Amino acid sequence: MTTTSFSWSAVAPAWDRYRAHIEQTKAPATTALLEALRLTPGERVLELGAGTGELAVELAAAVAPGQVIASDVAPAMVALLESTLHDTANATAEQLDACALTLPDASVDVCVFRMGLMLLEEPSAALREIRRVLRPGGRLGLVVWAGPEHNPWMVAVGMSAMMHGLVSGGPPTGPGGPFSLSDPDRLRGLVAAAGFRDVDVAPVETPSHFADEAEHFDTVSSLAGPLGVALATASADALAAVRATTADIVWQYKTEEGLILPGRALVCTAIANH
Ligand SMILES: C[S@@+](CC[C@H](N)C(=O)[O-])C[C@H]1O[C@@H](n2cnc3c(N)ncnc32)[C@H](O)[C@@H]1O
């Protein structure tokens, strides 16, 4: 396991609470991903890091009567998946680590990993595993975050937490950080090196809408994995200081409809080599 399942289980209740916001923000990237994958009825799909399972429901509808295995490494996320998929007959929830898949070789037609690969310390290990379980000619669909300069909705909170000493380091572009796969050329290279061809990487704008600064801070700080845990254990004074600094950073995005913060994802698709 290359990211701690504890952190993601710890924020699972918040992911449950903010499902609607998560899906609304990711909708443009999800649409682009589904269009590029061209799923057909009868296909067998593996979703990794499936979180709360909304995408799994869409995948299951697209491939019915084919099967979807919706998986996550964090036990509390798997519990959310089970409840989301309760009425979806052609999808099952499983606990799987993307870097050590307990599935046979060449056993799935399509593998989807939305907003998860960049969080792994060793994304190459997961890509090799994905290539192993995909049949030759099978399709891969990834969504990762573009660079920090395109994602002020997230950076504003992380930068403020850093300024007030709650987290250390520079922009999280290093291994396992949310922006670690934000360089399209690097992403293309990693995917190709794992045994894929026709690798395509396309940017998609994913703006987030919030009523005000308070809603922005509460939402992002609740959902962020390791950062969320750091904020949840901060003193009341430290948290108030981070909140105030974040509000100062995001006020420039205020509109008559509330805060609209820019965001950008990269949608990557590829075909497994023969
Ligand atoms: C940022 S969330 C994204 C969830 C969902 N895919 C979405 O787009 O809303 C990342 C997810 O990846 C999962 N994850 C982290 N490390 C993983 C690993 N090694 N294998 C599988 N899933 C992992 C986390 O538990 C979490 O549910």
Side-chain angles (χ1 to χ4, degrees), residues 3 8 15 26 49 72-74 77 96-98 114-115 119-120:
T3 62
W8 288 99
W15 277 69
K26 290 176 183 166
D72 202 287
V73 74
M77 291 292 192
L96 291 177
D97 181 349
R114 187 182 72 171
M115 293 302 182
L119 303 171
L120 309 184

Side-chain angles (χ1 to χ4, degrees), residues 139-229:
R139 284 109 69 216
L140 167 67
L142 303 170
V143 183
V144 299
W145 290 117
E149 69 277 25
H150 301 295
N151 286 290
W153 66 273
M154 187 189 334
V155 173
V157 180
M159 205 190 315
S160 306
M162 208 176 295
M163 286 166 66
H164 291 284
L166 293 185
V167 290
S168 57
T173 46
F179 305 117
S180 60
L181 297 179
S182 59
D183 176 345
D185 290 335
R186 173 156 184 268
L187 178 58
R188 254 183 234 107
L190 279 179
V191 173
F196 290 87
R197 63 179 164 82
D198 298 345
V199 185
D200 185 62
V201 177
V204 178
E205 302 307 315
T206 56
S208 335
H209 296 235
F210 303 95
D212 53 25
E213 291 91 331
E215 187 181 276
H216 166 250
F217 186 82
D218 291 341
T219 307
V220 176
S221 60
S222 304
L223 296 175
L227 174 61
V229 172

